[in-house]
């Protein structure tokens, strides 16, 4: 995928994940884009693990298609949850 496609996928997946996930996440467009791109990698890795049984860090399945966006959104939701855990433990 080209860099422009990654940016578009990141914005879409990050924005959808922030809208779905309850609570306030903060951040602007850049953090939403980074969240979506990280989500694409997390979602692609989990998708590959479930499909093949091997752990590979990849964004397979995460493209500018409906299934790819769904995988990226699910990964971005996981990323939001993990980020919340990290922030909560560092504030304690």
């Amino acid at each position: 995928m080209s860099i422009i496609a990654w940016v578009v996928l990141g914005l879409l997946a990050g924005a959808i994940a922030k809208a779905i996930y309850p609570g306030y996440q903060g951040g602007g467009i850049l953090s939403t884009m980074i969240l979506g791109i990280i989500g694409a990698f997390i979602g692609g890795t989990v998708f590959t693990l479930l499909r093949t049984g091997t752990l590979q860090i990849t964004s397979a399945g995460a493209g500018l298609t409906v299934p790819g966006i769904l995988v990226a959104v699910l990964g971005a939701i996981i990323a939001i949850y993990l980020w919340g855990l990290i922030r909560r433990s560092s504030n304690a």
Side-chain angles (χ1 to χ4, degrees), residues 27-55:
I29 291 177
L30 184 63
S31 67
T32 302
M33 181 175 49
I34 292 171
L35 170 73
I37 292 171
I38 291 171
F41 277 103
I42 292 173
T45 301
V46 170
F47 180 74
T48 302
L49 177 66
L50 293 175
R51 191 181 63 192
T52 64
T54 59
L55 183 62

